[in-house]
Amino acid sequence: MTDLNTLGLAEARDALRAGSTTSKELTAACLKAIEGAGALNAFVHHTPEIAMEQAAAADARIAEGDAPAMCGLPIGIKDLFCTKGVPSQAGSRILEGFLPEYESTVSGNLLGSGAVMLGKLNMDEFAMGSSNETSVYGNAINPWKVDERQLTPGGSSGGSAAAVAADLCLAATGTDTGGSIRQPAAFTGTVGIKPTYGRCSRWGVVAFASSLDQAGPMTKSVRDAAIMLETMCGYDPKDSTSADLAVPNFEALMTGDIRGKKIGLPKEYRMDGMPAEIDKLWADGADMLRDVGAEIVDISLPHTKYALPAYYVIAPAEASSNLARYDGVRYGHRATLDAGDGITEMYEKTRAEGFGPEVQRRVMIGTYVLSAGFYDAYYNRARRVRTLIKKDFEDVFAAGVDAILTPATPSSAFGLGEMTDVDPVQMYLNDVFTVTVNMAGLPGISVPVGLDSKGLPMGLQLIGRPWEEGDLLSSAYALEKAAGFVAKPTKWW
C-alpha cells in the first residue's frame, strides 16, 4: 500500500476490514509523520504510548468482528476538547498543567468507537483568532507554501487543518464559533463541516461563546466528514443545548444526486473589494452544480451586512462570562504574588499573565457591552439582529431553497504576521462569510474547489437546512466530485 498516513478515513476503514493493514501500522505511520513535522507545530501534546495501546485494542476489536466506523483510525484532537489525563490547555497559559479528570463527550464518543488519539492539536487561544497566532504554543504553519513566507493555516482550528493537510493524521476534531472549522479547511485544501447547533455535545469542550460553539470534523474528503460526524454526534443529557434527535447514517445519505435541488446564491455576499479569483471560484462552483442537475437561483439575505458587528458583540459578551472562571485558585496557572498581595491582586496578576492580548481584548469588549449603561445599546440590539439573520435563512428555505452556495473565505491563506500587525478588525473580516451560519445555528461545510494564481487552495461553502446534514453532505459530495480537487502541498517541512 501507499504511505498509510496519506489514507483517508474511508480508505483506511476498508483496508482494516479487509485485513490489508492494521491499526498499529496506521498509527505508527502517523506517529512517524508527526515526528518529522515539528516545523508545522501542529501537534502540541503528543500521546504516542496511549495511541499504540488504543491501536492494539482496536485491532483486537476488529479481529473479533466488533468494529464501529471509526475503529482503529488515528486522529488528532483539538486542544479545546478535555481529554482525561492528557493536557488540555485551550491554547492558553492560564490552563497550564491542567489534566482533566474526565473526557469530553465528543472525544469520548470517538474513543469509545475505537478511534486512536495521536495527541492534541494547536489552536488560537480559547478559539479566539483566525490565524492560529494567538496560541501560547506559537503559531501552527500551513503546509502549503508558495515562496519563503510562512502562511497561516487559519484559525482557530489551525493545528487540526495543518495536521490533516500534511497527512499527520487521518482526520481531526475542530470547533467552530464563527468559522473556525470552515476557514482553516478552505486555507488548507481540506473539508470541514460545522453541524447544526446542538447536533454535537459541548460538554467537556472549553467554552468560548456558548450559544455559538459547535464541534465538527476536519477531514480529507466529504465522505470522511460523513463517517466521522456520525460518531461525534448524539444526544447528551449533560449538555442542556444538545438535541434529542436520532443520528442518521450520514454516509448512506450521501448519494451526490442533486438533480432538481435548488441552490441559492445570496446577492449580499458579493462584497466590495472581493478578489476576482474568489468571485470566479464562486461562479465556477455554481456552474459545476448546475451541470450536475441543480437549479441555481439568486436569493437575498438582507441582514447579512449586520452579521459581523453583531457577532463581535455577542461572542465577546459570552466569552467574558465564560472566562470569569479562570482565576488561578483551583487549577491552571497562578501568578507569583508579592508580600501583602491579597485575592484581588492574585486575580489581576494571574489573568494578566495567563490571558494573551487577543483574549484580553475580547473579554474587555464583552464586559463593556454587558455593562449597565450599554447592555441595551449593544448586547440586546445584537441579539435582535441575530433573530433577523436567522429569519432571513428561514424565509429562503421556506421558499424551497435546499442549500446556499457562498465563498468560504475572502482570500486564500495569508502570511503570518500580515494581519496581526494591522488593525484587529482586518483579521475579524476573515469571518465575513461564515459568521451568519453560527448566528443562525445552521450546518455549513467548506469544500476545496480550486487553486488561486499563487497555487494556494480555495474553498466554497455550502449552507444547509437545520438538522439536514445528510442532505448538505450529499450536495457537498456532488460539488467535490465536480471540482475534482486532488492537489496536495509539496512537502518542505
Side-chain angles (χ1 to χ4, degrees):
M1 296 186 70
T2 56
D3 293 335
L4 292 173
N5 56 298
T6 66
L7 297 177
L9 294 178
E11 299 165 294
R13 174 196 63 185
D14 294 346
L16 287 171
R17 304 304 176 274
S20 53
T21 189
T22 65
S23 179
K24 289 175 74 173
E25 290 171 339
L26 277 170
T27 302
C30 289
L31 291 173
K32 183 180 178 183
I34 293 166
E35 196 177 317
L40 297 179
N41 198 29
F43 276 87
V44 292
H45 297 296
H46 300 258
T47 57
E49 296 85 1
I50 292 172
M52 291 309 293
E53 286 175 13
Q54 291 172 342
D59 283 334
R61 288 180 72 172
I62 292 167
E64 293 165 4
D66 169 32
M70 290 294 295
C71 191
L73 302 178
I75 61 171
I77 303 291
K78 185 178 179 179
D79 195 39
L80 204 64
F81 293 83
C82 288
T83 44
K84 187 174 181 179
V86 176
S88 304
Q89 285 188 234
S92 180
R93 186 183 180 194
I94 206 158
L95 278 171
E96 199 171 52
F98 176 52
L99 297 174
E101 294 294 322
Y102 52 89
E103 191 77 35
S104 79
T105 298
V106 165
S107 58
N109 288 347
L110 289 164
L111 297 177
S113 77
V116 174
M117 181 177 71
L118 296 165
K120 303 297 286 290
L121 290 158
N122 206 345
M123 56 174 284
D124 281 294
E125 184 180 9
F126 283 105
M128 298 181 196
S130 301
S131 64
N132 216 134
E133 291 174 277
T134 68
S135 171
V136 72
Y137 314 114
N139 45 265
I141 311 294
N142 196 327
W144 290 82
K145 203 169 187 179
V146 291
D147 49 35
E148 293 309 306
R149 290 183 310 153
Q150 290 186 330
L151 302 177
T152 177
S156 64
S157 307
S160 299
V164 174
D167 292 322
L168 309 186
C169 54
L170 306 195
T173 63
T175 62
D176 193 310
T177 305
S180 287
I181 285 174
R182 291 159 289 150
Q183 184 246 31
F187 278 3
T188 56
T190 55
V191 173
I193 181 169
K194 182 206 89 72
T196 310
Y197 181 80
R199 180 64 93 176
C200 288
S201 171
R202 292 184 300 107
W203 193 84
V205 181
V206 178
F208 165 12
S210 300
S211 73
L212 300 164
D213 299 342
Q214 192 61 195
M218 304 188 73
T219 60
K220 300 177 186 180
S221 71
V222 174
R223 183 174 298 279
D224 289 358
I227 293 167
M228 189 169 176
L229 181 62
E230 184 180 344
T231 301
M232 293 174 69
C233 291
Y235 173 62
D236 180 8
K238 297 192 293 294
D239 174 8
S240 63
T241 62
S242 176
D244 190 2
L245 294 173
V247 179
N249 183 334
F250 294 126
E251 187 181 11
L253 294 172
M254 202 181 68
T255 64
D257 183 359
I258 60 169
R259 287 173 294 181
K261 296 280 187 185
K262 195 176 284 189
I263 308 293
L265 303 182
K267 63 182 182 181
E268 289 79 9
Y269 281 56
R270 299 188 189 283
M271 298 184 173
D272 293 339
M274 189 162 77
E277 286 183 312
I278 297 291
D279 201 36
K280 183 179 184 303
L281 183 81
W282 191 11
D284 290 346
D287 288 342
M288 291 174 196
L289 293 175
R290 186 184 289 112
D291 290 344
V292 293
E295 179 188 352
I296 306 299
V297 296
D298 290 323
I299 61 170
S300 177
L301 298 167
H303 295 94
T304 295
K305 63 182 176 181
Y306 305 115
L308 206 60
Y311 171 85
Y312 276 101
V313 170
I314 290 171
E318 294 186 12
S320 72
S321 176
N322 279 325
L323 270 61
R325 72 192 67 178
Y326 304 111
D327 52 19
V329 175
R330 291 151 294 182
Y331 51 79
H333 175 75
R334 181 188 294 192
T336 302
L337 302 182
D338 297 324
D341 282 348
I343 192 166
T344 301
E345 288 79 13
M346 189 200 75
Y347 282 177
E348 289 174 350
K349 289 182 179 180
T350 294
R351 288 169 172 164
E353 291 178 7
F355 292 140
E358 181 60 30
V359 172
Q360 291 184 28
R361 180 185 292 120
R362 297 201 197 191
V363 167
M364 290 172 70
I365 291 170
T367 304
Y368 177 80
V369 301
L370 290 175
S371 60
F374 302 100
Y375 188 90
D376 284 329
Y378 291 105
Y379 185 65
N380 264 345
R381 182 174 293 182
R383 289 171 63 199
R384 289 195 292 271
V385 168
R386 180 180 189 171
T387 301
L388 295 172
I389 291 167
K390 190 168 186 286
K391 188 172 187 307
D392 285 349
F393 283 104
E394 289 171 351
D395 291 345
V396 165
F397 290 132
V401 170
D402 295 289
I404 298 166
L405 180 71
T406 79
T409 57
S411 70
S412 58
F414 50 87
L416 291 165
E418 285 182 14
M419 295 282 189
T420 48
D421 294 341
V422 295
D423 181 357
V425 173
Q426 294 301 311
M427 184 73 83
Y428 299 165
L429 290 172
N430 267 281
D431 301 331
V432 68
F433 298 129
T434 51
V435 293
T436 53
V437 178
N438 299 80
M439 296 286 270
L442 299 172
I445 187 170
S446 176
V447 180
V449 172
L451 299 174
D452 70 1
S453 58
K454 301 188 292 288
L456 294 175
M458 300 187 295
L460 288 176
Q461 173 181 231
L462 280 163
I463 304 167
R465 299 169 181 267
W467 314 114
E468 296 293 340
E469 288 87 358
D471 197 51
L472 178 64
L473 285 158
S474 192
S475 297
Y477 183 50
L479 179 61
E480 179 185 56
K481 285 197 298 182
F485 184 91
V486 293
K488 298 284 288 184
T490 302
K491 186 172 180 181
W492 57 266
W493 57 92

